[in-house]
Amino acid sequence: MTDADGDLLALLYAPAPSGDRPYRLVVLLHGAGGSARQGLDLLLPVADAHHLLLVAPQAAASSWDLIVEGFGIDVRRIDGLLESVFAGYPIRDVVLGGFSDGASYALSLGLTNGDLVTGVVAFSPGFAAPMVTHGQPRVFVSHGVDDRVLPVDVCSRRLVPRLHDLGYDVTYHEFTGGHEIPPEVRDAAATWLETLP
């Protein structure tokens, strides 16, 4: 998916249609300095088995706008991508997901738009900074206990209890490892997605 100038806006992956079965749309946000391809790869290995339509936007800058100056150009881009995908595919619901800064952005957008988003998958997030909160999307968080980029003690071990206190249904997985997404964590996230209403 490109803009009028030919610049990459996002990558999309759609499993083969299965009768009239609608897709679960998962918008996947890459980490700081990452790419749309890295975002797509977060759940690409499980997309067919779980009938996930994946859209991986490319941030306008090196990371997402919220990290720098608040919601702006990236939100507008994502809105446009969603319009395009909804016009072209049968969609049952929307999940936001991401890794590292992308996970923080997914949480922030997801909690802000919880009346529109069914769930949020946050692999190794640093924080959540919603402008306001709406609805109660379910949340999956994973974090490596040896993460040196976003240490678990100051990130997910503080964030997850805060989300619980705010009434969110949070599934939390810590794993032995660093700033990464092991295959078993990806599989756990995909299985969790199947439990969403």
Side-chain angles (χ1 to χ4, degrees):
M1 303 173 86
T2 57
D3 64 14
D5 297 323
D7 294 325
L8 179 69
L9 293 178
L11 294 176
L12 181 145
Y13 178 79
S18 177
D20 293 333
R21 182 182 175 198
Y23 293 98
R24 170 162 281 143
L25 170 60
V26 186
V27 179
L28 294 168
L29 308 173
H30 62 76
S35 66
R37 180 69 219 195
Q38 290 169 322
L40 191 70
D41 287 344
L42 296 176
L43 291 179
L44 187 59
V46 298
D48 288 326
H50 295 274
H51 203 60
L52 305 175
L53 191 156
L54 308 179
V55 174
Q58 179 67 50
S62 63
S63 193
W64 303 98
D65 52 19
L66 174 66
I67 311 300
V68 180
E69 59 188 21
F71 293 130
I73 187 171
D74 288 321
V75 170
R76 291 190 297 276
R77 283 177 146 188
I78 291 169
D79 285 345
L81 291 169
L82 290 175
E83 283 183 30
S84 176
V85 172
F86 273 104
Y89 297 89
I91 304 297
R92 64 183 276 198
D93 60 7
V94 178
V95 172
L96 298 179
F99 171 68
S100 190
D101 276 0
S104 299
Y105 198 59
L107 277 167
S108 300
L109 275 180
L111 301 184
T112 298
N113 296 284
D115 49 345
L116 306 173
V117 173
T118 304
V120 179
V121 176
F123 298 114
S124 305
F127 63 89
M131 298 301 180
V132 293
T133 58
H134 296 284
Q136 288 284 308
R138 293 177 60 198
V139 180
F140 176 97
V141 177
S142 68
H143 218 116
V145 296
D146 300 314
D147 193 328
R148 301 287 185 255
V149 177
L150 293 172
V152 68
D153 280 337
V154 297
C155 294
S156 289
R157 287 181 181 167
R158 291 185 182 176
L159 174 63
V160 169
R162 201 159 56 241
L163 292 173
H164 278 299
D165 289 346
L166 292 171
Y168 290 98
D169 179 347
V170 183
T171 298
Y172 181 48
H173 284 268
E174 283 190 4
F175 58 90
T176 302
H179 201 57
E180 60 187 314
I181 307 168
E184 63 271 16
V185 171
R186 177 184 292 118
D187 291 343
T191 300
W192 175 85
L193 284 170
E194 292 290 346
T195 70
L196 295 177

